[in-house]
Amino acid sequence: FNLVCKEYVAAREDEDGVLILSELAGAAAEMGEAILVNPFDIKGLSHAMYQSAVMAGFERKRRMHHLRERVRKHDNRHWAKSLISGWNRLREVTSNKSQEIKDEVRDQLLERLTRAKRLFLFVDNDGTLTPIAARPELAIPSDATRALIRSFGDHNQVHFCLITGRPQSYCQEYFSDLPMTTVAEHGAYIKWRGQDTWQSTINLENFAELKPDILRHLEMYSDCVPGSHIEHKATSLVWHYRQAEPTFARNMAMELGDALQQVLGKTSMAVFHGKKTVEIRHVVANKGAAVERVLEESGFDADQDIVMTVGDDITDEDMHRAHSDINLSIHIGQPNIYAKYFLPSPKRLAEFLADLVAQLKGQ
């Protein structure tokens, strides 16, 4: 749909005519001279059609002239150059920022971690400790992963914290018996090591009021995108499209995000795009804030203690930004602008953590 409206404008060589465009379309952001409508608002749409029919000729031509100029300047060549230029800038920045952990870098990092008076490890689950699965509930930690986490409990100087977007029920089922602090739903809930109860960090009243409207949008897009589904959490709603056709689903995800932003307005809820997900949650429920809270309540001493955050997607960048000057952050996958180091896969992370445990034992 983004191209159809531009094709119409390009065909109007007489620079006359009126474009009526859905405000949910991606092209709406760059075609402000069109009459933007909500396609689900029948009265609004009929008013827009009437407005276009009675619009003065000079106004029609003024709008169409600006639309045609923008389409002419921002053609496929401009798009390709911008894309390549942006990609090159990103590669330059990330390659200078993140360093792969191998050989001498690995040895130096392990030695530094084991020398710390206290080591605070904040580790994500999906895509980090546990490989990404087709559906989130299928991302089940292996026995080897659980044993690795348990081994850190033998070392008093290590404070291991699992920090995940998974709900409390998932964390209870797979991690409740392990010696660590657990943060669920991106920081909405915290269960401290050695305790059985969860602490809530946010007020859910706003979410309860907005949930019916949010759910209506998610259900509409789920019906339109085969392979997508909705995940219900206590503090958020998530639209997953990992099993959908990638290009179509990605475009629909951007449209959905734009539509939801209008629903949420200036509330305390916001839209967050993750790895093939669109999540609607409280703005203060983020992993960076959770890291800061755990460190503060644990009496973190920047002069003697070390903090390391490990994650694989956009939501984990919030963790990497916490105490960024001293955070020995690791991103899983590709180099990341916010992380000091990177490892290419969860398997390589497991090997690195196993080496860390071995070095701690050898002290």
Side-chain angles (χ1 to χ4, degrees), residues 122-174:
F122 296 89
V123 188
D124 169 56
N125 183 53
D126 297 28
T128 303
L129 281 174
T130 306
I132 290 287
R135 293 180 68 95
E137 63 271 20
L138 300 178
I140 300 172
S142 65
D143 291 340
T145 296
R146 286 171 41 80
L148 182 60
I149 296 173
R150 191 182 300 280
S151 65
F152 280 106
D154 298 331
H155 306 278
N156 293 330
Q157 73 269 41
V158 179
H159 292 245
F160 195 99
C161 178
L162 180 78
I163 185 162
T164 177
R166 300 284 88 234
Q168 294 167 273
S169 57
Y170 174 94
C171 296
Q172 281 292 116
E173 182 174 359
Y174 297 112

Side-chain angles (χ1 to χ4, degrees), residues 12-271:
R12 301 302 307 194
E13 295 183 354
D14 59 355
E15 295 199 342
D16 201 353
V18 180
L19 173 64
I20 301 175
L21 182 63
S22 167
E23 62 188 15
L24 305 181
E30 57 180 311
M31 306 195 81
E33 291 81 11
I35 299 178
L36 300 180
V37 297
N38 183 331
F40 303 103
D41 179 3
I42 303 302
K43 289 185 178 180
L45 182 57
S46 61
H47 177 73
M49 295 175 71
Y50 174 77
Q51 181 185 353
S52 65
V54 301
M55 186 178 294
F58 74 89
E59 177 63 11
R60 295 198 309 268
K61 289 180 177 292
R62 183 191 69 80
R63 289 176 178 241
M64 188 59 66
H65 172 75
H66 289 300
L67 286 169
R68 284 176 55 80
E69 281 296 298
R70 192 172 299 113
V71 169
R72 182 180 64 80
K73 290 178 181 177
H74 295 82
D75 59 6
N76 58 338
R77 295 184 184 86
H78 178 273
W79 176 84
K81 288 179 181 178
S82 299
L83 180 65
I84 293 172
S85 176
W87 177 256
N88 287 335
R89 286 197 302 272
L90 180 62
R91 282 204 309 174
E92 181 180 349
V93 170
T94 55
S95 63
N96 291 336
K97 181 68 176 178
S98 296
Q99 190 174 14
E100 186 173 1
I101 299 175
K102 59 181 180 179
D103 304 330
E104 186 178 348
V105 173
R106 169 190 158 280
D107 296 338
Q108 291 175 353
L109 186 55
L110 288 173
E111 182 180 356
R112 185 175 177 185
L113 293 173
T114 53
R115 284 204 317 264
K117 182 177 180 180
R118 291 187 301 172
L119 172 59
F120 290 85
L121 285 175
F122 296 89
V123 188
D124 169 56
N125 183 53
D126 297 28
T128 303
L129 281 174
T130 306
I132 290 287
R135 293 180 68 95
E137 63 271 20
L138 300 178
I140 300 172
S142 65
D143 291 340
T145 296
R146 286 171 41 80
L148 182 60
I149 296 173
R150 191 182 300 280
S151 65
F152 280 106
D154 298 331
H155 306 278
N156 293 330
Q157 73 269 41
V158 179
H159 292 245
F160 195 99
C161 178
L162 180 78
I163 185 162
T164 177
R166 300 284 88 234
Q168 294 167 273
S169 57
Y170 174 94
C171 296
Q172 281 292 116
E173 182 174 359
Y174 297 112
F175 297 111
S176 61
D177 60 329
L178 298 180
M180 64 180 183
T181 294
T182 307
V183 175
E185 298 196 24
H186 300 283
Y189 296 101
I190 298 178
K191 183 162 73 70
W192 297 93
R193 176 177 175 174
Q195 297 184 6
D196 296 325
T197 58
W198 291 86
Q199 293 180 7
S200 175
T201 65
I202 62 175
N203 187 326
L204 296 179
E205 290 182 7
N206 214 341
F207 178 58
E209 294 173 1
L210 294 167
K211 188 173 181 178
D213 243 0
I214 297 170
L215 195 55
R216 180 172 60 83
H217 280 76
L218 296 184
E219 289 172 343
M220 180 177 65
Y221 278 80
S222 289
D223 290 341
C224 294
V225 182
S228 66
H229 70 278
I230 302 168
E231 180 186 9
H232 295 254
K233 298 182 185 179
T235 63
S236 66
L237 289 167
V238 191
W239 186 62
H240 294 265
Y241 56 95
R242 180 166 298 280
Q243 295 178 290
E245 195 285 318
T247 303
F248 174 64
R250 185 169 58 251
N251 290 337
M252 294 298 282
M254 297 307 296
E255 288 189 14
L256 173 59
D258 291 341
L260 287 171
Q261 291 287 14
Q262 297 182 42
V263 172
L264 302 176
K266 295 182 179 180
T267 68
S268 58
M269 305 294 293
V271 178

